[in-house]
Amino acid sequence: MSATIIDGKVFAAKVRGLVSESVAKLKAEHGIKPGLAVVLVGEDPASQVYVRSKGKMTVEVGMNSVEHKLNADTSEVDLLKLIDELNNDSSIHGILVQLPLPSHLNEDLVINSINPAKDVDGFHISNVGLLGTGQKSMVPCTPLGCLMMLRDYHGSLSGLNAVVVGRSNIVGKPMAQLLLGDSCTVTIAHSRTKDIQSVTRRADIVIAAVGRPEMVTGEWIKPGATVIDVGINRIDAPEKGEGKTRLVGDCDYVSCANVAGAITPVPGGVGPMTIACLLANTVTACCRAHRLTEPNGLTA
Ligand code: GUN
């Protein structure tokens, strides 16, 4: 294995350090404490783990964390009422509604009811449009984390061929916009792409965000390319014992690492960056709300 490992744990700790410094400065110089509200509807176990972890890290960087846990049968009217209250609460600078929502709730409607300035997920249609037209916006956390790691590793991304595998609204599409913003030549590949390996093999940067365990193998990768693995998939691991599981990415780590110049591991790659970027977005939203200078290095 020859690839450099891009350590998301170390990088995320650095980003959280920058966030902590900004939070301390906001308090000391302006008497402001940034606040993040997280709304969880229902009892999805994975979502509960994420929300707990978000709350813990929000407090660790010195911000206010507010959690709203609603029953799975909460009506759309009641959820929209809560969002309206949070939109109008000046102590709350960021609002995140954990997805997926129970099926009786219209996700688009709910997300688009968040004040775009407080939309720290960057999912609101206004933020999508602002990002797509190169204007200042709130940027989705996972792609922002990937961009930060790529900039840190490569310096300039200008002119590089980037292939994003996956076309989701949460990762694939905003990732492509961000890479275009940094002057990459960008291709979005997906499940219907013909001869996908010949497309990814031209890439200097491959971003895998398809949600399929170990789909991208070393044969897909140009020697020396940078591989960013967004996937987090739990698969059976009979080699560890009966009923045991392990986490893998969308890339087959061993074969990709044999060919790539650099690669993010799973776990410990993109994952930790997502929450770090959520905290970064909350500080950014707070600074913008108070018309204060935004800290460097925390936005796209
Ligand atoms: N569920 C899984 N990932 C995310 C995310 O980044 N934001 C929200 N709101 N929900 C999620």
Side-chain angles (χ1 to χ4, degrees), residues 54-71:
K54 282 169 190 167
K56 187 169 161 269
M57 294 207 179
T58 304
V59 171
E60 273 173 16
V61 296
M63 302 197 291
N64 262 335
S65 169
V66 180
E67 279 176 27
H68 291 271
K69 293 185 177 161
L70 308 181
N71 291 331

Side-chain angles (χ1 to χ4, degrees), residues 30 48 81 85 103 131 150 160 196 217 229 233 252 267 298:
H30 305 281
Q48 284 176 327
K81 197 164 151 256
E85 282 165 19
S103 58
L131 178 62
L150 283 168
L160 295 179
I196 194 164
T217 63
D229 190 349
N233 310 287
D252 172 42
L298 296 184

